[in-house]
Amino acid sequence: PALGLFLFTIARDPLRIIILIAGAFFWLVSLLLSSLIWFIAVKASDPRDEPLQKGLLIFGVMFSVLLQEAFRFLYYKLLRKAIEGLVALSEDGCSPISIQQMAYVAGVGFGLMSGAFSMINLLADALGPGTVGIYGDSQLYFLTSAFMTMVLIFLHTFWGILFFHGCEHRRWWEITVVVVMHLAVSGSTFCNPLYVGSLVPSYLLMAAAAVWAYLLSGGSAQNLRRFLLCKS
């Protein structure tokens, strides 16, 4: 599904591809900084203290979420400046891409990079040693991880739309909701290997975020019905 989003809505537009790659880069920088801080914290602590190490892991995940949202805000500010430049250079005084479209493409960029790193971690586990489930672990590890990766890609897409809308209209509560949802989804992964505790809430939040983003983008029930019936 994520590949379909890219092929049908982004791949044919060079400007959207540039925005996508830049968004992926911003997410990558946020991951690099959060990983560096977590690595330093782990090296500076006692590796034999299991409660402390678990606490550091939780801290690292939550800090990474906050850093990702901070970089999403920085990316919004950068794109806002880019729109002003595009308007100044255009002949008709209009930007070739709207802020709503930028929000969508930037969200896809964040999501695709997040999904790519999730896939890398899965492939690393698949290489060994041993086989997942050989010591009584869940046999559904790879399948549930794939579904979790997909939901995170879509959530980043919807969060990008909601976040940019909140910044554009100075609705800071919308930004707060996005951050809380991101923290909730990331925190739910600590329920694993009880995968129902992470997948079900994540998909429910994705459905709510999808409806919300659709309405904020100008969508309506009538538009959706026309789309499903293939009417113009």
Side-chain angles (χ1 to χ4, degrees), residues 21-116:
I21 294 175
F25 173 76
F26 268 71
W27 187 91
L28 193 61
V29 173
S30 71
L31 177 67
L32 175 63
L33 293 178
S34 59
S35 299
L36 180 62
I37 292 175
W38 179 79
F39 178 78
I40 294 174
V42 169
K43 288 299 181 180
S45 61
D46 184 5
R48 295 169 295 180
D49 191 343
E50 293 186 4
L52 176 60
Q53 294 301 317
K54 184 176 182 180
L56 287 176
L57 179 61
I58 295 174
F59 163 77
V61 171
M62 299 300 127
F63 180 79
S64 176
V65 168
L66 296 177
L67 200 59
Q68 288 176 47
E69 297 305 328
F71 270 82
R72 198 192 302 272
F73 178 75
L74 292 176
Y75 192 41
Y76 162 78
K77 300 295 287 185
L78 178 64
L79 290 178
R80 209 68 194 80
K81 293 292 185 182
I83 286 182
E84 296 175 3
L86 291 173
V87 170
L89 293 174
S90 64
E91 296 179 355
D92 56 359
C94 297
S95 172
I97 185 171
S98 66
I99 189 66
Q100 291 88 353
Q101 293 171 334
M102 282 187 170
Y104 163 74
V105 178
V108 175
F110 269 62
L112 288 179
M113 184 55 69
S114 173

Side-chain angles (χ1 to χ4, degrees), residues 156-167:
H156 271 293
T157 302
F158 302 140
W159 287 337
I161 296 172
L162 300 176
F163 194 97
F164 278 42
H165 185 272
C167 293

